[in-house]
Structures are given as structure tokens and as C-alpha cells.
């Protein structure tokens, strides 16, 4: 019974698996590294994030926007402030080394 289920699973998994072929040679050595990149935290990125946060803060004060859009903007502002605090922490740790 278990062997039959295992065989069925292998057969279904194999049929769902897509097979690709290449017409030309392709360098695939970097395909799995997308999630392994380290994002560079620097002053330029920090300045850009703080600028975006200031722009959203300005829009929240002076623009006539609906409730849903206001909540989205407040959440974005909160996320940008958290990102800026994290970058400042990384930069501070880098300076002290």
C-alpha cells in the first residue's frame, strides 16, 4: 500500500515537472544566488529612504485622501522609518569597527 502511494507520488510529481531544453549555451552558475545577495546599506540609500518618508509625511498632512489610501500611506511610512532605523544601526556598527 505504501509502496503504491510512493509510486503514485513519483509518477504525479514527474508528470508535473516541466522539462526545458536550450537552443544555445547559457551560464546558469548565478541563478540560485538571488536570495543570497547582501544588500549594501550606505548613506545614499538612507538619504533616499528618509526623503521618501518625508514626502509621505508631507502628503499625509496636506492632501485630501480617502481612508484606505491614508492607511496604506501610514503603513508605508512606518515601514520606511523602520528601514531607516535599521540602516542607521548598520552604519553605526560599521563606523565603530
Amino acid at each position: 500500500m505504501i509502496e503504491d502511494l510512493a509510486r503514485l507520488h513519483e509518477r504525479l510529481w514527474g508528470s508535473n515537472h516541466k522539462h526545458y531544453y536550450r537552443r544555445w549555451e547559457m551560464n546558469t552558475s548565478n541563478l540560485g544566488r538571488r536570495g543570497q545577495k547582501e544588500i549594501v546599506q550606505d548613506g545614499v540609500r538612507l538619504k533616499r529612504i528618509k526623503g521618501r518618508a518625508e514626502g509621505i509625511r508631507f502628503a499625509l498632512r496636506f492632501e485630501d485622501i480617502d481612508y484606505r489610501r491614508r492607511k496604506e500611506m501610514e503603513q508605508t511610512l512606518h515601514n520606511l522609518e523602520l528601514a531607516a532605523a535599521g540602516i542607521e544601526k548598520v552604519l553605526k556598527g560599521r563606523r565603530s569597527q
Side-chain angles (χ1 to χ4, degrees):
M1 174 88 178
I2 292 176
E3 293 84 15
D4 294 335
L5 288 174
R7 223 175 298 121
L8 178 64
H9 177 267
E10 290 296 324
R11 183 176 293 168
L12 289 175
W13 188 81
S15 66
N16 289 337
H17 190 71
K18 294 183 179 178
H19 300 282
Y20 297 100
Y21 67 94
R22 293 192 192 108
R23 294 176 187 252
W24 54 86
E25 190 63 31
M26 184 175 154
N27 182 10
T28 58
S29 62
N30 293 328
L31 290 180
R33 296 186 184 175
R34 182 176 184 180
Q36 299 173 355
K37 285 186 192 175
E38 181 179 331
I39 298 174
V40 177
Q41 309 289 8
D42 59 354
V44 175
R45 186 163 189 249
L46 176 63
K47 186 176 178 183
R48 196 176 75 233
I49 287 175
K50 282 186 174 182
R52 283 185 63 198
E54 187 59 37
I56 291 175
R57 206 174 285 116
F58 179 82
L60 286 171
R61 270 189 305 210
F62 296 105
E63 290 292 323
D64 183 29
I65 51 179
D66 61 344
Y67 178 78
R68 181 176 177 192
R69 183 69 178 148
R70 176 174 291 280
K71 285 296 177 186
E72 288 176 4
M73 290 174 75
E74 287 172 353
Q75 184 63 45
T76 303
L77 176 62
H78 178 70
N79 290 340
L80 287 171
E81 288 171 344
L82 287 176
I87 292 173
E88 286 175 344
K89 185 177 177 183
V90 167
L91 290 176
K92 183 179 176 184
R94 199 177 290 164
R95 282 187 215 125
S96 64
Q97 289 180 354

